[in-house]
């Protein structure tokens, strides 16, 4: 097990990139800026190590990073309708950074924060503890929030992300990571032939602005039924209104049944790679990069639609305005603790 550290100068800012390496050669590279995962090297069926996430070729492009490649997201992952919510009779207004709506915590969100990083390692695991204090009123959110995120890589090729939060005022919080996975390796192909299995029998219906309507939909007999495995291509080619609204693919919140040990499994036949997701989060936003801009300079090639698959494990910001959704409310003094593990095979 090892940790390598690289210092990067980006327009006068000093960033550090930490690379976690296990005894089998798998590695995960993470910036202190945004907690961004810039690269994950995992073996294919023949043992060849290749990158399985989207990352920029030039580090300075992370300063903007409109697609949130690899970044930590918070305070609230996802969209908050009309950029406001009510709490104890008071209206809190948030910056509108996607039309009239508030997306992924606003600016500067977790993705544009330089985190304090403490590395750790032993014979079985290697990792980083990232910490940050979001002050009361930042981007309109109430309460001082103490946030800690830990990345841990083990010798069984599993990367765990643990999120801990504590606020001194009732507030809202659901954090996630916005890595785009592509198991073909080095972005050789897009993700339309990736097969996904989800332990989910319900998904959240969206309006034309990708805001939840308040309706939970049954996946049965739809292109949203991933319980027995389904290719991403099915949603890309579908004429279903929800697939079309999302830009011909998926950008939807699926509620986990938690009836299986794994909440999600992704397979790519050509490379033989498999990604298993185990989480205590109530659901996941699966985004298939349907609206990803073309022409961004990535590590291996230029970006295009369907280049990566995001599995954003989280609660639902729809719970702010609708009943019956996994809650993002956090009471004063209540400890927020969530863990997601991505295991590669």
């Amino acid at each position: 097990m090892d940790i390598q550290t690289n210092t990067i100068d980006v327009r006068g800012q000093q960033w550090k990139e930490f690379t976690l390496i296990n005894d089998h050669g798998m590695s995960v590279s993470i910036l202190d800026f945004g907690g961004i995962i810039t690269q994950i090297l995992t073996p294919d069926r023949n043992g060849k190590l290749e990158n399985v996430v989207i990352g920029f070729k030039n580090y300075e492009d992370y300063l903007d990073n409109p697609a949130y490649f690899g970044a930590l997201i918070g305070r609230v992952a996802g969209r908050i309708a009309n950029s406001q919510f009510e709490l104890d009779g008071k209206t809190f207004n948030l910056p509108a950074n996607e039309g009239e709506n508030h997306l992924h915590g606003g600016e500067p969100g977790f993705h544009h924060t330089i985190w304090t990083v403490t590395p750790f390692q032993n014979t079985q695991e290697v990792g980083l503890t990232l910490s940050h204090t979001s002050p009361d009123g930042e981007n309109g959110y109430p309460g001082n929030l103490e946030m800690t995120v830990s990345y841990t890589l083990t010798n069984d090729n599993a990367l765990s992300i643990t999120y801990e939060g504590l606020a001194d005022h009732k507030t809202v919080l659901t954090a996630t990571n916005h890595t785009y996975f592509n198991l073909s390796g080095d972005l050789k192909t897009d993700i339309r032939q990736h097969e996904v299995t989800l332990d989910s029998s319900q998904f959240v219906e969206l309006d034309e602005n990708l805001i939840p309507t308040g309706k939970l939909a049954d996946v049965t007999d739809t292109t949203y039924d991933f319980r027995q495995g389904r290719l991403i291509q099915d949603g890309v080619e579908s004429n279903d209104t929800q697939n079309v609204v999302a830009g011909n693919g998926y950008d939807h919140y699926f509620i986990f049944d938690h009836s299986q040990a794994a909440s999600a499994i992704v397979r790519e036949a050509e490379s033989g790679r498999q990604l298993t997701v185990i989480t205590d989060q109530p659901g996941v936003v699966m985004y298939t990069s349907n609206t990803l801009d073309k022409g961004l300079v990535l590590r291996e090639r230029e970006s295009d639609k369907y280049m990566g698959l995001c599995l954003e494990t989280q609660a639902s910001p729809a719970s702010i305005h609708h009943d019956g959704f996994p809650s993002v409310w956090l009471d004063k003094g209540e400890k927020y603790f969530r863990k997601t593990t991505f295991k590669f095979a």
Side-chain angles (χ1 to χ4, degrees), residues 54 182 187 191 289 292 301-308:
I54 290 181
N182 184 319
L187 303 185
I191 51 97
S289 51
L292 181 62
R301 59 188 286 187
E302 290 191 348
S303 64
D304 205 345
K305 294 174 65 172
Y306 311 117
M307 192 64 70

Side-chain angles (χ1 to χ4, degrees), residues 54-58 61 64 66-67 69 187 289-307:
I54 290 181
F56 284 116
K57 181 177 181 180
N58 302 309
D61 288 335
D64 187 16
F69 290 147
L187 303 185
S289 51
N290 330 309
T291 57
L292 181 62
D293 289 339
K294 297 184 178 182
L296 300 176
V297 181
L298 307 179
R299 189 182 297 269
E300 298 88 0
R301 59 188 286 187
E302 290 191 348
S303 64
D304 205 345
K305 294 174 65 172
Y306 311 117
M307 192 64 70

Side-chain angles (χ1 to χ4, degrees), residues 92-130:
F92 290 86
N93 293 302
L94 313 175
N97 58 337
E98 191 187 56
E100 298 178 350
N101 305 308
H102 177 81
L103 176 66
H104 289 336
E107 299 291 346
F110 290 176
H111 62 292
H112 278 162
T113 293
I114 295 181
W115 294 69
T116 300
V117 178
T118 304
F120 61 87
Q121 69 181 97
N122 55 47
T123 58
Q124 296 300 317
E125 61 186 27
V126 62
L128 307 171
T129 299
L130 286 67

Side-chain angles (χ1 to χ4, degrees), residues 270-296:
E270 190 65 26
S271 70
R273 289 187 178 92
Q274 175 175 296
L275 170 60
T276 301
V277 181
I278 300 168
T279 186
D280 58 8
Q281 288 278 22
V284 64
V285 173
M286 185 171 74
Y287 172 54
T288 50
S289 51
N290 330 309
T291 57
L292 181 62
D293 289 339
K294 297 184 178 182
L296 300 176

Side-chain angles (χ1 to χ4, degrees), residues 50-343:
E50 294 174 312
N51 182 33
V52 294
V53 301
I54 290 181
F56 284 116
K57 181 177 181 180
N58 302 309
Y59 286 98
E60 68 177 22
D61 288 335
Y62 287 113
L63 281 169
D64 187 16
N65 197 12
Y68 303 89
F69 290 147
L72 293 176
I73 303 296
R75 293 185 187 188
V76 173
R79 296 170 175 87
I80 296 179
N82 300 314
S83 302
Q84 65 178 27
F85 61 88
E86 290 191 6
L87 173 59
D88 295 334
K90 181 180 178 181
T91 298
F92 290 86
N93 293 302
L94 313 175
N97 58 337
E98 191 187 56
E100 298 178 350
N101 305 308
H102 177 81
L103 176 66
H104 289 336
E107 299 291 346
F110 290 176
H111 62 292
H112 278 162
T113 293
I114 295 181
W115 294 69
T116 300
V117 178
T118 304
F120 61 87
Q121 69 181 97
N122 55 47
T123 58
Q124 296 300 317
E125 61 186 27
V126 62
L128 307 171
T129 299
L130 286 67
S131 58
H132 168 62
T133 299
S134 175
D136 178 39
E138 184 174 45
N139 291 332
Y141 290 104
N144 296 294
L145 173 68
E146 300 289 339
M147 196 73 196
T148 301
V149 179
S150 296
Y151 290 96
T152 305
L153 176 64
T154 64
N155 268 331
D156 60 353
N157 286 4
L159 173 67
S160 293
I161 310 178
T162 302
Y163 307 85
E164 298 179 68
L166 191 67
D168 62 3
H169 188 286
K170 186 174 181 181
T171 189
V172 286
L173 176 64
T174 185
T176 194
N177 179 279
H178 209 288
T179 291
Y180 291 67
F181 296 101
N182 184 319
L183 301 185
S184 70
D186 292 341
L187 303 185
K188 286 194 291 294
T189 66
D190 63 32
I191 51 97
R192 285 178 290 182
Q193 292 302 307
H194 282 42
E195 181 188 72
V196 177
T197 303
L198 295 177
D199 180 23
S200 173
S201 56
Q202 289 183 308
F203 73 99
V204 175
E205 182 183 79
L206 302 176
D207 67 15
E208 63 275 6
N209 294 314
L210 303 180
I211 297 296
T213 64
K215 178 182 177 181
L216 294 176
D218 190 331
V219 303
T220 304
D221 296 327
T222 73
T223 52
Y224 294 83
D225 192 348
F226 287 88
R227 290 173 293 185
Q228 302 302 318
R230 178 182 293 276
L231 296 178
I232 295 300
Q233 183 73 26
D234 292 351
V236 174
E237 295 178 342
S238 169
N239 292 320
D240 182 274
T241 301
Q242 284 294 294
N243 289 126
V244 173
V245 160
N248 301 110
Y250 300 93
D251 194 3
H252 293 76
Y253 185 73
F254 292 80
I255 295 178
F256 290 134
D257 296 338
H258 285 300
S259 63
Q260 308 290 330
S263 293
I265 299 172
V266 185
R267 299 182 178 92
E268 202 280 318
E270 190 65 26
S271 70
R273 289 187 178 92
Q274 175 175 296
L275 170 60
T276 301
V277 181
I278 300 168
T279 186
D280 58 8
Q281 288 278 22
V284 64
V285 173
M286 185 171 74
Y287 172 54
T288 50
S289 51
N290 330 309
T291 57
L292 181 62
D293 289 339
K294 297 184 178 182
L296 300 176
V297 181
L298 307 179
R299 189 182 297 269
E300 298 88 0
R301 59 188 286 187
E302 290 191 348
S303 64
D304 205 345
K305 294 174 65 172
Y306 311 117
M307 192 64 70
L309 172 67
C310 295
L311 296 169
E312 304 160 54
T313 56
Q314 60 178 92
S316 174
S319 63
I320 292 173
H321 299 116
H322 302 283
D323 295 330
F325 290 82
S327 176
V328 301
W329 297 109
L330 183 71
D331 286 331
K332 174 183 177 180
E334 177 187 0
K335 186 173 183 180
Y336 176 91
F337 184 91
R338 298 289 185 270
K339 181 179 180 180
T340 297
T341 299
F342 300 94
K343 185 171 184 179

